[in-house]
Amino acid sequence: MKTLKTFAKPVSWSSLSLIVIPPILFYSGGISQAVMCQLMILGTIIWFISAPLWMRSE
Amino acid sequence: MAKTQDAEEAVSSNEFEREPVPENARKGPLAFWGMYAGEHAAGTEFTIGPLFLAAGASLKDLMFGLFLGNVLAVLTWRYLVLPIAMKRRLTLYYQLEKVAGSSTVKIYNVVNGVLFCFLAGAMITVSASAVGVPFNVRFQVPAELFGLGGVSFTVIVAVIGLVIAAVAAAGYDAVSRFANIAAPWMILVFAACGLVSLGQMDAHSVDRLHAIWNEGVAFVQSNNGQQEFGFWKIVIFSWLCNAAMHLGMADLSIFRFANSKSSGWAPSVGMFLGHYMAWICAALMLAALISTNPAATLNDLGKVQVDPGFLAWNALGWTGIICVVIAGWTTANPTIYRAGLAFQSLLPKHSSRMAGVLIAGLVATIAGAFPQLSARLLDFVGTYGMILGPVGAILFVNHYLAKKAGFLEDGAAVTGSTFNFAVLIAWLLPAFSGLYLIFFKGVFASYLVIPAWLASGLLYLILARFMFPKSSR
């Protein structure tokens, strides 16, 4: 469980990059809106699975 | 807007409800900065932001007006609320009880509770607007004030409202923890809404953005009629939208735990993340939809309406939908819970907290079924502040002027009264006068917050000298 929590924190903070970077890429014309939405929902799912594992204990 | 007194639990527990917070229980500035950071990115932001554009605000007025208004709000918290909070270390309710008596506080609680129910109702509508999108059930604002939004939408509102009420009645701790988890993600999603909207509009220069925004305002005006929402209106609204918390002194309950004056600057993070960044980003979503698919912004009556769920779906797809649902829910849930506590004080003594919360949930759900409430959120927020703000003036006068003016400080506590008619008159007379001006004369509600506050303070100053002279001790 402790190992899980150790990994959960960096994983969840990293998942927020999928909330930040895809919109930047979309704005700059690097990816389509459809791809952006898919990446963001992936980041959202990872965040809500991983964040409760360590945020509850802090 | 703030997620009500849920914030207090974020800073500390519910201890010391009837005594000053002792030194060893006080908190450093970081506790308050963290709390306010997550408190003002809420469901209301998805509605209020676009309503500025829909009301005819220019982008320049919005950016500068919100900046000034939020600075004024922060200064009000810092210099009006914090000094009293740090001096007395009491909750708003206990402080008010000492001045006004326990029976008067019950009236305040009920009024606060009813207003909470309407606020929660608007948030239920916001969540419902998002839930309806995958089912192709659009949020429709009828022309009539008490018109419903269509059978399917009303059913969605009812289901969401009852679920939220049931969860609140069971104890909202789980939702509160969930809200804390969602906060960092939600703030970033708000920012993403704005950036994606700029991308959708192909707004790669300030001039182009201004041009698109102005076209959006012109589109709204051509469909909805001429409206104005100028710079000073924006300043007043953004300054006073949380009037119940600062001018109304509700955040005494938060800042009583402060061990440093710098804690009083903490609301700035909430104001500039929520009432600046989130509002502008949400407004950009409407601008983008008008720019790319104007027909989608029109309701069945041919009017432009703010549909938070659809706006978020148009920008971010499922992430946007989830964000609107969570934002609405995590705002509504503690609001219903607190309203329930207020109503419980009116029920027979053996009544459970659950009964009060379920009643509040029912009232909120019924309110949420009327889309005009959400559509008129700018007016409602101002009315809310105008009604509750004056109570803070009474506490201000009691704290600073009682001795100088020759009346008893904390009069009800000193005389053992449960009713303080000076408080009731000083509070309700300006409040009812303000309500008359709002509903019968069409005055913008936020304009009346300061006058009501000043009138209330002056009235209490005069009345307390007659009703609680120092000689009556």
Side-chain angles (χ1 to χ4, degrees):
Chain A
M1 192 64 183
K2 196 177 173 185
T3 310
L4 192 64
K5 284 182 188 170
T6 305
F7 281 108
K9 199 168 181 178
V11 165
S12 56
W13 286 121
S14 300
S15 72
L16 291 183
S17 65
L18 288 175
I19 306 297
V20 174
I21 295 174
I24 295 172
L25 292 175
F26 170 73
Y27 178 74
S28 62
I31 58 174
S32 68
Q33 186 171 3
V35 170
M36 178 203 73
C37 289
Q38 286 165 6
L39 290 171
M40 289 188 76
I41 194 65
L42 180 63
T44 296
I45 292 168
I46 295 173
W47 171 261
F48 281 105
I49 290 174
S50 59
L53 296 174
W54 62 271
M55 282 185 96
R56 196 187 312 165
S57 62
E58 293 202 357
Chain B
M1 289 194 68
K3 293 174 191 165
T4 69
Q5 277 78 10
D6 188 37
E8 183 184 346
E9 273 72 51
V11 175
S12 185
S13 71
N14 258 332
E15 295 173 350
F16 320 113
E17 286 198 340
R18 299 186 69 78
E19 60 183 292
V21 174
E23 202 165 331
N24 60 3
R26 295 172 196 171
K27 304 289 182 183
L30 274 181
F32 298 91
W33 284 88
M35 184 272 288
Y36 275 102
E39 279 306 305
H40 289 273
T44 38
E45 276 52 87
F46 275 112
T47 305
I48 290 176
L51 283 175
F52 285 121
L53 188 157
S58 75
L59 184 58
K60 186 177 157 195
D61 282 350
L62 194 64
M63 294 184 75
F64 289 105
L66 288 183
F67 182 83
L68 179 57
N70 284 316
V71 166
L72 290 171
V74 173
L75 291 174
T76 310
W77 262 298
R78 169 62 183 87
Y79 290 108
L80 200 74
V81 183
L82 186 80
I84 298 177
M86 289 185 73
K87 182 80 177 171
R88 290 178 173 257
R89 303 284 176 187
L90 301 175
T91 66
L92 163 76
Y93 302 102
Y94 190 49
Q95 179 62 78
L96 188 59
E97 185 181 315
K98 288 162 83 69
V99 178
S102 56
S103 297
T104 316
V105 171
K106 273 191 184 177
I107 298 174
Y108 174 87
N109 278 342
V110 171
V111 170
N112 204 7
V114 170
L115 292 170
F116 278 162
C117 285
F118 285 127
L119 182 64
M123 290 308 98
I124 291 170
T125 307
V126 167
S127 288
S129 76
V131 169
V133 169
F135 300 102
N136 209 27
V137 176
R138 286 291 304 273
F139 169 61
Q140 291 282 342
V141 181
E144 307 82 15
L145 181 63
F146 294 106
L148 295 175
V151 174
S152 302
F153 187 79
T154 306
V155 168
I156 293 174
V157 166
V159 170
I160 290 175
L162 292 172
V163 168
I164 291 177
V167 171
Y172 74 95
D173 286 347
V175 177
S176 174
R177 281 197 297 271
F178 182 77
N180 290 334
I181 291 168
W185 165 85
M186 197 182 301
I187 290 168
L188 292 176
V189 170
F190 267 109
C193 286
L195 190 58
V196 168
S197 298
L198 291 175
Q200 288 176 316
M201 292 186 280
D202 204 23
H204 293 280
S205 70
V206 173
D207 287 342
R208 170 137 176 90
L209 177 58
H210 275 289
I212 297 171
W213 181 282
N214 291 338
E215 284 167 12
V217 172
F219 179 77
V220 174
Q221 307 274 2
S222 68
N223 286 283
N224 294 15
Q226 288 293 318
Q227 297 180 75
E228 63 80 28
F229 213 101
F231 174 79
W232 288 110
K233 204 168 181 177
I234 294 170
V235 171
I236 293 291
F237 178 83
S238 52
W239 174 16
L240 301 173
C241 63
N242 275 125
M245 310 302 165
H246 48 66
L247 284 178
M249 301 279 181
D251 277 1
L252 285 177
S253 302
I254 308 255
F255 284 119
R256 63 192 174 114
F257 288 100
N259 66 8
S260 163
K261 287 181 186 176
S262 65
S263 302
W265 298 111
S268 60
V269 67
M271 292 301 100
F272 285 96
L273 279 179
H275 294 186
Y276 194 81
M277 186 272 288
W279 278 359
I280 291 174
C281 289
L284 286 173
M285 287 201 291
L286 180 60
L289 188 60
I290 291 174
S291 173
T292 56
N293 188 5
T297 66
L298 302 175
N299 62 13
D300 291 344
L301 301 172
K303 305 275 186 199
V304 174
Q305 66 171 31
V306 173
D307 181 342
F310 191 78
L311 289 176
W313 168 257
N314 185 61
L316 302 182
W318 283 104
T319 302
I321 293 282
I322 292 168
C323 190
V324 172
V325 172
I326 291 175
W329 189 358
T330 56
T331 306
N333 199 83
T335 310
I336 287 172
Y337 184 82
R338 289 293 167 177
L341 293 183
F343 293 157
Q344 188 192 9
S345 66
L346 287 185
L347 298 174
K349 274 194 175 160
H350 60 267
S351 301
S352 67
R353 182 179 295 179
M354 188 180 288
V357 174
L358 285 174
I359 292 171
L362 186 62
V363 174
T365 302
I366 293 170
F370 299 101
Q372 280 280 0
L373 173 60
S374 172
R376 293 178 184 220
L377 200 57
L378 296 182
D379 297 306
F380 172 74
V381 164
T383 306
Y384 188 115
M386 191 277 302
I387 292 173
L388 294 183
V391 170
I394 292 165
L395 296 180
F396 178 90
V397 166
N398 174 75
H399 181 77
Y400 286 111
L401 300 178
K403 288 173 185 155
K404 291 176 191 167
F407 62 87
L408 291 175
E409 191 174 324
D410 299 347
V414 173
T415 59
S417 311
T418 59
F419 253 119
N420 183 334
F421 285 99
V423 167
L424 273 178
I425 295 168
W427 170 31
L428 295 178
L429 194 56
F432 277 115
S433 304
L435 287 173
Y436 169 77
L437 290 171
I438 292 167
F439 289 107
F440 293 97
K441 296 297 180 185
V443 177
F444 183 57
S446 293
Y447 286 155
L448 297 166
V449 175
I450 300 280
W453 196 90
L454 291 171
S456 188
L458 188 62
L459 272 172
Y460 186 66
L461 187 66
I462 296 168
L463 291 169
R465 291 192 66 193
F466 289 103
M467 293 189 184
F468 289 97
K470 273 189 181 167
S471 56
S472 67
R473 196 183 188 112

